[in-house]
Structure formats: C-alpha cells, structure tokens
C-alpha cells in the first residue's frame, strides 16, 4: 500500500479518537457543564449530523481543487475546533464546536475515501479502505481508551487538547506526503459534472447499500455512545475499567476491519450474511448478560469485530456502486454511515429513561440491525443484480 494512505490514516486516527472518545467522557462533561448524561449524548448526534451535511457540502466545495489542499485545510479546521472545545465552559458552545469539527471531519473523510481509492488499482479498493479505516480502529484501541484515561486523571478537557496535538503531525504529514492529485483521481475527475455525479443517487442499489450502512452504524453508535453508563452502572465496574472495555471494543473493531479488507472486494455477501444475524443476537445478549463481567468483556470484543466488519464492507460497497462519481463517492459513503451515527445515539438516549435503563441502548441496537437484516432479505433481488454486492 502507498505511504500516503498511512498518512491519511494518521489524520483519521485523530478524528476517530475525537468522534469515539465521548463514550468515555459523557458523565464527566455532564457533571461539569450541569446537563444530563442523555443531553450530552447530543454531542455525538451533533457530530454525526454535521458529518451527514458536511460530507456532500465539503466535497462539493473542494471539487476540482487539489486534494492535498482540501485535506490540509480540513485538518487545521478540526484542530481549531478542539482548541475552542477544550477551553469553553458553555455546553452550547461545546455543541457548536462538535458541529464545526464534524464538518471538517466530513470534508476530510469524503476526500480521503476518494483519494485512497484513487491511489490503488480498482480491484483493491477494499484493502485501501481497510488501511484508511485502520486509523479509526487504532483510535478505538488506543486513542479512545487513552482519552478516557486522560479524562479520569486530568479531566475531560485534557482529551480535547490531546486530539488537537495529534492533528499537528497529521497535518505536516499530509502537506509533505500526499500527492496534490492522485493519478486515477485526476483521470476521472474531469469526466463527469457534479450533476452527473449526484445523479448516481438514483441507483436503487446505491441507495439500498447506503440505507443498510446507516442502520448498522446507528446500532454501533447507539450502544457505543452509552457504554460508560452501562459499565459503571449495570456492570458495576469502577471508572478505570472503562478504558479496558473500550480497548476490547477497539481490538474487535480492528479485527473486523481486517476481515472486511480481505473479503469486501471478493466475498462481501459472506461478511454480510454471517455478520448481520450475529449482530441481531449479539446486542440483546450483551443486554441480558450485562451484569456478568466475563460475558461483557467477551461480547464487547465480538460486537466490535462484527459491527466494523459489516460496516466497513458496506462502505466498500458504496464506493463500488458510486464508481461513476469520482469526487462524490466518498461523500455518499460518509453521509450514509453518519446518518446512522446521528440517529443511533438519539434512539439509544430515548431508551435510557425506560424500564431497561442502561441496557436500553443495547436492545435498540439489536432492533436496528434486525431491521437492516429484514430490509436486506426483502431486497435481495435488487442487491443480487450486481454480483459484487451479494455473490
């Protein structure tokens, strides 16, 4: 894999750490800023909503410009948003910085997904995507637990400062190592207008795969966002156990992305057919066994692996289906997955006040994946019209 892919992955690591680290910081943020834990869940939803809006908007704004310039500008904006977030004492201001950071993240990821696909032969898109997403999985293994540990030791603001610092070497690496415009991107960008690229959204297969990705990601973010209350409440563990749980989820997600990288190009149907039903069973199983430490540790790892294997495979499918949209394909994938990331925490938060308590988000996640599975089965003929989607 080309070196620029790993430089992009470093920036994705910083952004992934920021996006996921709130799972370990929500209780502290709620206490200091005098809001409820459910309200702080809006920070995750606002970030995801900014990603949904920002992906096509930012990709359209930088269309035709140097990919390196756009990537660098987005990283700098992301850094600035975290500096403001680290010093504010106002929850509305913090919420606003999450939206700004999300717009920057969305623009970066939309361009990075397209750039990653352009840096390798067409048949290796899945593997290139796995390298890019390794930044996210490393974030869940090291960055997110590290952020939770910083929050436990020095307060949640320290985690925001750490993300800002990591953005500095990422920006330098992009400025020095990423080509202004990868060769394949340059060949394809001029062949279609923005209107032609947006017209790809009329494809039933593309819309269906985007919907499935949104539902699976909603399940992932819905439960992941509220792991902290579950671990410290229902499971009854101390705050220092939370990084351990997050590391296990991150290790699982890394394994899942690796599987997706190996199979998403050749056997996507195998990943989706096996992973979907297992997730339908896995999230409720975690809810039922939430008081048993060993079961929680094992299931968190397995659910991280399954969620990211299925999610990364669906991202790859979006890129394949949007192959005729060289500059907007990454925006489509980003918007689809973050639609789920925006809705998931909202659905999960609505269950916290019910009879299920801290287990509510887990039941909601199981239901969301069940809906995705039913939709996939009902629309199997649409998916199967392209052998690359379901073999």
């Amino acid at each position: 894999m080309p070196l620029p892919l790993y430089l992009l992955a470093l920036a994705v690591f910083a952004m992934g750490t920021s996006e996921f680290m709130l799972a370990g910081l929500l209780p502290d943020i709620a206490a200091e800023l005098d809001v409820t834990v459910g309200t702080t869940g809006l920070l995750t939803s606002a970030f995801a909503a900014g990603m949904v809006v920002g992906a096509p908007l930012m990709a359209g704004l930088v269309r035709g410009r140097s990919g390196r310039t756009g990537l660098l500008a987005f990283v700098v904006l992301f850094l600035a948003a975290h500096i403001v977030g680290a010093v504010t004492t106002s929850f509305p201001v913090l919420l606003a910085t999450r939206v700004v950071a999300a717009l920057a993240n969305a623009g970066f990821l939309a361009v990075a997904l397209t750039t990653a696909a352009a840096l390798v032969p067409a048949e290796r898109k899945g593997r290139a995507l796995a390298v890019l997403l390794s930044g996210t999985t490393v974030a869940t293994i090291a960055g997110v637990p590290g952020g939770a540990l910083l929050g436990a030791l020095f307060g949640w603001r320290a985690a925001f400062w750490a993300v800002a610092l990591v953005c500095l070497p990422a920006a330098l690496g992009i400025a020095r190592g990423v080509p202004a415009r990868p060769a394949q991107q340059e060949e394809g960008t001029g062949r279609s207008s923005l209107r032609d690229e947006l017209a790809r959204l009329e494809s039933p297969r593309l819309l269906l795969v985007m919907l499935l990705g949104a539902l699976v990601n909603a399940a992932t973010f819905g439960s992941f966002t509220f792991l902290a209350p579950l671990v410290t409440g229902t499971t009854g563990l101390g705050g220092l156990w939370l990084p351990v749980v997050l590391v296990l989820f991150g290790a699982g997600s890394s394994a899942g992305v690796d599987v997706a990288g190996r199979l998403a190009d050749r056997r996507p149907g195998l990943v989706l057919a096996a992973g979907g039903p297992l997730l339908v069973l896995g999230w409720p199983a975690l809810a039922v066994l939430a008081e048993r430490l060993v079961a929680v540790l094992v299931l968190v790892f397995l659910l991280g692996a399954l969620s990211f294997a299925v999610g990364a495979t669906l991202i790859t499918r979006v890129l394949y289906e949007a192959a005729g949209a060289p500059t907007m394909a990454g925006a489509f994938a980003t918007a689809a997955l973050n639609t789920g990331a925006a809705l998931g925490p909202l659905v999960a938060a609505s269950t916290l006040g019910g009879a299920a308590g801290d287990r509510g988000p887990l039941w909601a996640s199981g239901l969301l994946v069940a809906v995705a599975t039913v939709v996939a089965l009902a629309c199997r003929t649409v998916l199967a019209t392209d052998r690359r989607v379901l073999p």
Side-chain angles (χ1 to χ4, degrees):
M1 291 288 107
L3 176 61
L5 275 178
Y6 296 94
L7 297 174
L8 294 175
L10 177 61
V12 171
F13 166 76
M15 295 179 178
T17 297
S18 173
E19 185 171 10
F20 288 124
M21 71 182 183
L22 290 183
L25 302 176
L26 291 186
D28 291 341
I29 293 174
E32 182 174 335
L33 300 185
D34 195 26
V35 294
T36 66
V37 172
T39 299
T40 58
L42 292 174
L43 295 172
T44 297
S45 294
F47 193 96
M51 292 279 285
V52 173
V53 175
L57 176 63
M58 296 300 179
L61 287 176
V62 300
R63 176 182 164 85
R65 295 181 173 83
S66 164
R68 179 174 60 202
T69 300
L71 292 169
L72 186 59
F74 291 137
V75 170
V76 172
L77 180 60
F78 190 82
L79 184 157
H82 280 74
I83 292 176
V84 175
V87 300
T88 187
T89 58
S90 166
F91 181 79
V93 172
L94 181 61
L95 188 65
T97 67
R98 297 306 290 170
V99 174
V100 172
L103 292 173
N105 191 354
F108 181 89
L109 191 57
V111 177
L113 285 168
T114 304
T115 300
L119 287 169
V120 299
E123 68 275 8
R124 302 197 70 189
K125 284 183 181 180
R127 192 59 184 163
L129 181 62
V131 172
L132 184 66
L133 290 183
S134 69
T136 299
T137 58
V138 172
T140 58
I141 295 171
V144 175
L149 185 59
L150 283 174
L153 296 176
F154 305 108
W156 62 269
R157 298 177 189 277
F160 278 70
W161 281 113
V163 169
L165 289 174
V166 173
C167 287
L168 292 176
L172 181 61
I174 290 169
R176 292 181 174 272
V178 175
R181 192 183 301 278
Q184 291 184 40
Q185 188 183 61
E186 188 172 5
E187 292 173 2
T189 299
R191 294 182 180 178
S192 58
S193 67
L194 180 59
R195 178 176 296 179
D196 290 336
E197 294 198 34
L198 292 176
R200 288 294 301 162
L201 290 173
E202 297 176 0
S203 165
R205 272 199 310 271
L206 175 58
L207 291 175
L208 182 55
V209 176
M210 290 172 67
L211 173 61
L212 296 177
L215 288 170
V216 170
N217 212 40
T220 302
F221 268 79
S223 286
F224 185 80
T225 298
F226 296 103
L227 269 182
L230 179 79
V231 170
T232 58
T234 301
T235 310
L237 300 177
L240 292 179
W241 267 95
L242 184 57
V244 175
V245 175
L246 294 177
V247 164
L248 285 172
F249 186 91
S253 68
S254 179
V257 167
D258 185 64
V259 169
R262 296 175 186 277
L263 297 178
D265 293 314
R266 297 178 289 108
R267 299 294 304 277
L270 176 62
V271 178
L272 300 179
L278 288 175
L279 283 172
V280 173
L281 297 174
W283 288 119
L286 181 56
V288 172
L289 301 172
E291 294 180 354
R292 301 185 181 184
L293 174 60
V294 175
V296 168
L297 298 180
V298 172
L299 285 171
V300 162
F301 175 86
L302 292 176
L303 289 168
L306 290 168
S307 295
F308 275 76
V310 174
T313 298
L314 289 169
I315 296 176
T316 304
R317 293 301 96 198
V318 172
L319 293 178
Y320 272 114
E321 293 301 331
T327 60
M328 297 300 290
F332 296 158
T334 302
L337 294 180
N338 283 280
T339 296
L343 295 177
L346 292 176
V347 173
S350 70
T351 68
L352 290 174
D358 294 338
R359 306 172 200 245
L362 304 174
W363 289 106
S365 292
L367 179 61
L368 287 167
V369 182
V371 171
T373 302
V374 171
V375 170
L377 290 174
C379 301
R380 183 176 176 82
T381 55
V382 175
L383 292 170
T385 55
D386 185 349
R387 301 286 293 179
R388 295 173 306 173
V389 179
L390 282 179

